[in-house]
Amino acid sequence: MRSPHRTDDPSDRTSAGAGASETVGAAKAARNTGAVRFSDLPPGVLRDIALVWLADAVVGVSFGAIAVGGGLPLWVPVLMSLLVYAGSAQFSAVGILTAGGGPVAAAATGLLLNSRTAAFSLALADDLGRSWTARLIGAHLVTDETAAFVLAQKGRAQRKAAFWISGIGLFAAWNLSVLAGALAGSALGDTDRFGLDAAFPAVLLALVLPALRGDSAARRASAAGAVIAVAAAPLLPSGVPVLLALLGLLAARRGPRRPRPAAPGSAS
């Protein structure tokens, strides 16, 4: 007599087992594809990234207008933004060219200013991806801003999402805004009178303030770097004081890292 408790047919068990195996395999494959999702970003990070995009676009318009207004052909700032993609280095190079300097001096100054990204690339290498294609493309997108967003994240998925989302968006915002500024040309005139040049550092300062408030080592490094940069500014060419400010990192190694204690009554 047949039992009231149904016994699965062996073929059914095989099919069920195969289905479960395929599900697990698909889940593992999805985790290993390295797909970047906006949902991987912690709350508030996308908003901060968007603010940097906006500030970068403002500076890009300024750069394009200054370059064309200074007498350079429109294709120079546009092509430079696509191939060089380094804001401070581009400003310095254009400043030298419009002042009558040669291309060799302009290129040397740009290389010196952009040398800091070599250290960023080493720090972010594991977050770009494992393929050579991802690393080659990612290396071109490494900037101060993308490095700051990546290093502020803790998990691997969050770090990778922060890099690619901020990096691709920043590259697009910068190049489109440079093109817009170059097309506007001399119509904007001297953008410094509008205070546009202050928008970018103001946004960056707002982004780093939480880290300064919560970490004594970061405060020591920032204070030391600021003193070095201000002291060197009257003595050295533009851009060199910023590189010397990296010596402030040595101050972070002196003394323990003491996060600020939580306020009374806050959850531990």
Side-chain angles (χ1 to χ4, degrees):
M1 185 176 72
R2 183 180 179 89
S3 169
H5 302 288
R6 181 178 181 272
T7 302
D8 292 336
D9 185 79
S11 61
D12 293 338
R13 290 197 299 268
T14 302
S15 299
S21 178
E22 290 175 359
T23 302
V24 173
K28 289 182 178 180
R31 289 195 298 267
N32 293 332
T33 55
V36 174
R37 298 180 295 270
F38 283 93
S39 59
D40 288 333
L41 291 176
V45 174
L46 184 58
R47 177 203 58 205
D48 294 339
I49 290 175
L51 287 175
V52 172
W53 290 344
L54 177 61
D56 201 65
V58 172
V59 179
V61 170
S62 175
F63 170 74
I66 289 173
V68 174
L72 295 177
L74 184 146
W75 63 267
V76 171
V78 173
L79 189 62
M80 184 185 295
S81 296
L82 286 170
L83 300 181
V84 178
Y85 184 50
S88 58
Q90 291 180 226
F91 269 103
S92 299
V94 165
I96 292 175
L97 292 174
T98 55
V104 175
T109 302
L111 286 173
L112 177 63
L113 285 175
N114 219 35
S115 61
R116 68 188 183 280
T117 59
F120 293 155
S121 298
L122 293 175
L124 306 182
D126 292 338
D127 302 304
L128 305 186
R130 296 183 178 180
S131 68
W132 280 106
T133 302
R135 294 199 172 196
L136 286 174
I137 296 174
H140 191 57
L141 300 179
V142 172
T143 63
D144 299 359
E145 300 78 41
T146 55
F149 281 120
V150 171
L151 296 177
Q153 311 309 316
K154 295 181 180 179
R156 176 61 60 84
Q158 291 86 352
R159 289 166 64 94
K160 188 173 184 178
F163 176 80
W164 287 106
I165 292 173
S166 65
I168 293 175
L170 201 60
F171 183 80
W174 175 256
N175 282 278
L176 290 175
S177 61
V178 168
L179 176 60
L183 291 173
S186 58
L188 289 178
D190 184 9
T191 55
D192 288 348
R193 63 181 174 175
F194 300 112
L196 299 180
D197 55 325
F200 200 47
V203 171
L204 290 180
L205 180 60
L207 291 174
V208 302
L209 280 178
L212 297 180
R213 288 196 297 264
D215 194 330
S216 61
R219 290 195 296 272
R220 288 195 301 270
S222 300
V227 171
I228 293 172
V230 171
L235 307 175
L236 298 173
S238 176
V240 177
V242 176
L243 295 176
L244 289 179
L246 293 175
L247 295 175
L249 294 174
L250 297 176
R253 302 180 60 182
R254 300 179 62 85
R257 298 173 65 92
R258 296 189 299 274
R260 176 168 292 186
S266 62
S268 56

